[in-house]
Every structure is written in C-alpha cells, then in structure tokens.
Amino acid sequence: SCVPSDNDQTMEDIPQDVIERSFHTILNIIRCTVCLKPPRPTMFTRIRQCAAGHLVCEECEVEVNECPDCKQPFSSTELPLYISQILEAFPKRCKFSNCEVFLINDDEHEEWCGFQSSRCRIVNCGRYVPNRDLVSHIQRKHSSQLIVEGKGTLSVPQDVETERYFPISVYGQLFWVDTFPESEYFTVWFILVPNGRPEEEYCIELSFTAGSSFSEFKFK
C-alpha cells in the first residue's frame, strides 16, 4: 500500500497565486495559436496540432496554412489522449454572446441557455431575439397575441392550409404552439423556447370539436 509522504499535497496546500500562475501556464499550452482561445472539442469538431505541439481549432485552421508560432504545418493525426482530456476538463465560456457561465466537460447549459437567439414566429415579424427577451419582445410588439394563462382556446381556420404560431407564457416558460391544418388532419405542436432548464415536466391536455375551427388546451 502507498504511504503518504511529507511531499504529498492537496489543492488546499497550494497558495492561490501559485494555482493562478499554473492555470495561466496550462491555458497558454492548450490555447489555439490563432484565436488564442482554448479549442472547444466536440464530436463534430476537429482540433489539430503542429509538429511542435501548438494547437489550432477547426474554425481557425481554414485561415492559415502553417502554424503562426513556429511556421510548421499542422498534422492530421489525432491529438494525444492527455491533451484531449485536458481540453475536455478545461472550463469553457458559454458560446452565446453576453452569457457569463463557464462550462466543464459535457455540461448541457448551452442547450438551455437563454442567451441563444431564436426567431419570433409571429406573422410578419421574424426578428431574432435572445430567448430570455422573447416574452418582452412579444409584449411590446405583439401584446394582443400573447396568451398568459395555462389554458385557452385557439381559433385556426381549418379550411386554409396555413401554418400558424401562437405564443403562450406559462409557469415562467414560453411555448410556441405550432398549428397546421391539413385536408384530413390538424397538427398541433407545443415547442418550448429554451431559457434555462425546466425544473418540472409539463402535461398538456388538448380537446377538439369535429368540424370546428377551435381547439382548447390546458397545461397541467
């Protein structure tokens, strides 16, 4: 068995200024040699390195023919495992503008980040707005169309095959109700606009009246 020695130390033993200097040293080692940011490894991106070990992210690789630091070409071989592991473990800032959250490993924050933008689906609008501001945008520009209760009635002419969206603000979340009447079917989708991970599941009850242009919904 291993016996602790006097040289063993934990993070609590290391002075904060030493930790900060070490962090910046690691940051300089793993940064992209072009944009100077740590590459963001995903299953869809490729990170290369030159013969001297300098890294370049996929976005920057298309801008250069050789490593700006040492003028050597970038290799097509896979990164050493330890470099990949360091990149995975290194904290990365959320990719959406103005969001100050830092992520570690496969954090799902970006999937639900309210700073990502989406299109206002109100007819004749189409403006892209950060999800966290979308309700305010609808209240200012399309207040008559916002449904703010957990239940209501949608009036959709079923003899016109036109897709329409209705905004619903309920339980602190915004949903788009996507309705599309067809010749034999009437399709309704409830689309949650990401703005922070929901803390609960939602159940929606729908009822239709045959031959009517109305459908009723209720959140539970």
Side-chain angles (χ1 to χ4, degrees):
S1 61
C2 296
V3 178
S5 68
D6 294 337
N7 293 326
D8 289 340
Q9 59 184 9
T10 64
M11 288 292 293
E12 289 74 17
D13 300 324
I14 305 175
Q16 184 64 32
D17 64 313
V18 175
I19 294 176
E20 292 179 359
R21 290 201 303 271
S22 297
F23 181 88
H24 286 293
T25 299
I26 296 173
L27 178 60
N28 286 330
I29 293 173
I30 66 170
R31 65 177 173 80
C32 170
T33 189
V34 177
C35 67
L36 306 182
K37 300 177 182 178
R40 296 171 57 95
T42 71
M43 61 183 300
F44 304 108
T45 59
R46 176 183 59 188
I47 301 171
R48 295 186 183 276
Q49 65 175 353
C50 69
H54 302 127
L55 304 180
V56 64
C57 60
E58 187 173 47
E59 293 82 357
C60 294
E61 183 188 5
V62 298
E63 301 178 6
V64 295
N65 296 320
E66 59 184 15
C67 175
D69 286 353
C70 63
K71 308 305 179 184
Q72 298 193 57
F74 289 105
S75 171
S76 59
T77 59
E78 292 187 4
L79 294 178
L81 178 60
Y82 72 93
I83 292 293
S84 298
Q85 291 174 328
I86 292 175
L87 289 174
E88 287 286 349
F90 202 79
K92 295 167 284 291
R93 190 167 184 168
C94 175
K95 65 182 179 181
F96 296 112
S97 298
N98 299 319
C99 182
E100 298 182 353
V101 172
F102 280 84
L103 319 176
I104 297 179
N105 295 331
D106 58 350
D107 193 311
E108 296 180 347
H109 162 82
E110 290 179 344
E111 179 181 351
W112 299 99
C113 180
F115 284 93
Q116 60 183 299
S117 295
S118 59
R119 182 171 59 88
C120 176
R121 298 174 182 268
I122 300 293
V123 176
N124 298 325
C125 183
R127 180 179 178 182
Y128 279 85
V129 181
N131 289 351
R132 65 199 304 267
D133 300 326
L134 197 49
V135 170
S136 298
H137 164 77
I138 296 172
Q139 289 173 333
R140 292 195 311 270
K141 302 294 184 180
H142 322 284
S143 59
S144 62
Q145 301 193 46
L146 180 64
I147 301 173
V148 293
E149 300 292 339
K151 60 181 179 179
T153 301
L154 304 177
S155 175
V156 183
Q158 297 186 11
D159 57 343
V160 180
E161 295 188 4
T162 302
E163 187 173 27
R164 293 187 61 186
Y165 292 89
F166 300 86
I168 298 177
S169 179
V170 59
Y171 300 137
Q173 301 289 343
L174 177 66
F175 292 81
W176 287 112
V177 184
D178 178 3
T179 62
F180 190 80
E182 301 179 73
S183 57
E184 299 181 0
Y185 303 96
F186 182 69
T187 306
V188 179
W189 293 87
F190 285 80
I191 305 169
L192 174 62
V193 178
N195 185 23
R197 178 185 291 278
E199 298 181 356
E200 55 189 345
E201 296 182 351
Y202 302 100
C203 179
I204 304 169
E205 181 181 281
L206 276 173
S207 60
F208 300 88
T209 302
S212 171
S213 62
F214 296 93
S215 61
E216 295 184 351
F217 68 90
K218 180 167 60 176
F219 279 78
K220 294 184 175 181

